Amino acid sequence: IDRRLWNLAHNRVTVSTVGVASRMRDLTRDLPKINIALSLHAPNQQMREKIVPSAKGTPIESLIEALDSHMMALTKRKLLENPQEDDKTTDFNIEERQSASKKKRAMIEYVMLVGDTSTIEAAHQLGKLCEGRHLVVNLIPYNKTDVKDKLDCPSEEHMQEFRRIVSSYGSFCSIRRTMGADIAGACGQLVVEQEKKQVLDIEDGPFPKDVKVGRVVATPRRKKSSGTDSSSSEESSGKQQPTDRLLHQLTVATAIAASLFFVSASLLVLQKRRR
């Protein structure tokens, strides 16, 4: 990340990953200051493979180790005399882990679904998996959509209890605030709802000549009278006039700004030459 191009600090960037341990370690080596978010969604390998297809090739323990290594990478480099020995195992005390967690976020994203992954037992398993590491666990309430699989989100009381259990093992656990669910605009709901239209099958025939099988035939629009057309054209031309004026003003303003820029640049060049 070139700050000369983007003017963006590394600790303001978060990379989200479904979990490839080797690539996570590469990211730690190349960009140790950025934040990382691991989409975990399950407390053990067996459950995770059911909902995350790519999880079969990567053990869940190796992902947590890679996430922990990323959070402690800068602390490790300060402790080691040779900065190339990033793979050397180092035990960190609580103060060092708390300090590293404040400077850089190593987060676990965990979607809350009614089922095995959101039980009280699963909360204890997740807490033990992250125990003593001071990782950030972000619980994401599932936002319902009109999909084939009827998924649902646990109650608020159950999620609060789940959060309390995970936090008891030493991790900072929070529940993501949901916004926009009432208009289907929350996380995971950004879909376009279309009116369900019937598509005719060829085996349901015979059909009239104007009906096309496999398509939804749109109803043709009625032609308006000439009087209506003339009035509508006058209204549209009246609406276009303010827009044309605005475009003209923007064009003039842009031309003036460009001229001032070139004049300023020329003066600056002449001033440097005199020096």
Side-chain angles (χ1 to χ4, degrees):
I1 302 176
D2 193 345
R3 294 190 61 181
R4 294 174 298 179
L5 296 177
W6 302 106
N7 193 24
L8 190 64
H10 287 190
N11 60 358
R12 297 294 182 182
V13 178
T14 300
V15 175
S16 181
T17 175
V18 73
V20 181
S22 59
R23 302 302 295 169
M24 291 172 66
R25 295 186 184 280
D26 292 341
L27 183 66
T28 301
R29 183 187 65 246
D30 299 335
L31 297 170
K33 295 183 180 180
I34 69 171
N35 305 313
I36 188 169
L38 172 63
S39 298
L40 195 67
H41 307 317
N44 56 59
Q45 185 68 18
Q46 184 178 4
M47 290 184 185
R48 192 167 190 265
E49 289 181 359
K50 293 181 180 179
I51 59 177
V52 183
S54 61
K56 295 181 179 180
T58 307
I60 194 171
E61 292 78 10
S62 64
L63 295 178
I64 300 300
E65 287 293 338
L67 189 66
D68 182 70
S69 297
H70 183 81
M71 185 181 72
M72 304 305 301
L74 296 178
T75 304
K76 183 185 292 187
R77 289 190 178 185
K78 291 180 180 179
L79 296 178
L80 298 176
E81 296 181 356
N82 186 0
Q84 300 297 327
E85 298 181 4
D86 287 346
D87 294 333
K88 181 179 179 180
T89 57
T90 305
D91 294 331
F92 302 99
N93 55 41
I94 297 178
E95 290 76 14
E96 291 172 338
R97 287 190 170 276
Q98 289 178 343
S99 177
S101 180
K102 292 178 181 179
K103 295 178 181 178
K104 181 174 56 178
R105 289 291 183 92
M107 295 177 286
I108 291 178
E109 306 289 347
Y110 197 98
V111 64
M112 296 299 292
L113 295 169
V114 172
D116 296 337
T117 59
S118 298
T119 61
I120 299 300
E121 182 182 358
H124 285 285
Q125 293 179 6
L126 180 61
K128 291 179 180 179
L129 186 66
C130 307
E131 187 174 12
R133 300 181 186 271
H134 289 275
L135 300 173
V136 176
V137 180
N138 189 12
L139 304 181
I140 307 173
Y142 175 75
N143 298 306
K144 293 188 66 173
T145 56
D146 188 13
V147 296
K148 183 178 180 181
D149 296 327
K150 299 301 180 182
L151 305 175
D152 206 350
C153 179
S155 64
E156 178 68 23
E157 294 76 13
H158 183 83
M159 289 191 293
Q160 289 292 347
E161 179 65 15
F162 193 98
R163 182 199 63 80
R164 186 191 64 79
I165 293 174
V166 176
S167 300
S168 66
Y169 287 89
S171 296
F172 178 79
C173 186
S174 62
I175 301 176
R176 178 183 292 180
R177 181 183 176 188
T178 299
M179 295 183 293
D182 54 335
I183 58 172
C187 179
Q189 290 184 321
L190 297 180
V191 295
V192 179
E193 294 185 359
Q194 296 181 348
E195 182 182 358
K196 295 182 179 179
K197 299 180 180 180
Q198 183 179 4
V199 179
L200 302 178
D201 191 357
I202 192 172
E203 295 181 357
D204 296 333
F207 306 103
K209 294 182 179 180
D210 59 340
V211 176
K212 295 183 178 181
V213 179
R215 297 184 184 179
V216 178
V217 182
T219 304
R221 298 180 180 178
R222 296 180 180 178
K223 295 183 178 180
K224 298 181 180 180
S225 61
S226 58
T228 307
D229 293 340
S230 60
S231 61
S232 62
S233 62
E234 291 177 359
E235 293 177 359
S236 61
S237 61
K239 293 179 180 179
Q240 290 178 357
Q241 288 180 359
T243 305
D244 295 339
R245 292 176 184 174
L246 180 60
L247 291 175
H248 178 70
Q249 294 174 358
L250 291 175
T251 303
V252 173
T254 304
I256 294 174
S259 302
L260 293 175
F261 172 77
F262 285 116
V263 171
S264 302
S266 301
L267 293 175
L268 183 62
V269 172
L270 291 175
Q271 186 177 6
K272 288 184 176 181
R273 288 182 178 178
R274 290 176 182 177
R275 292 179 181 178

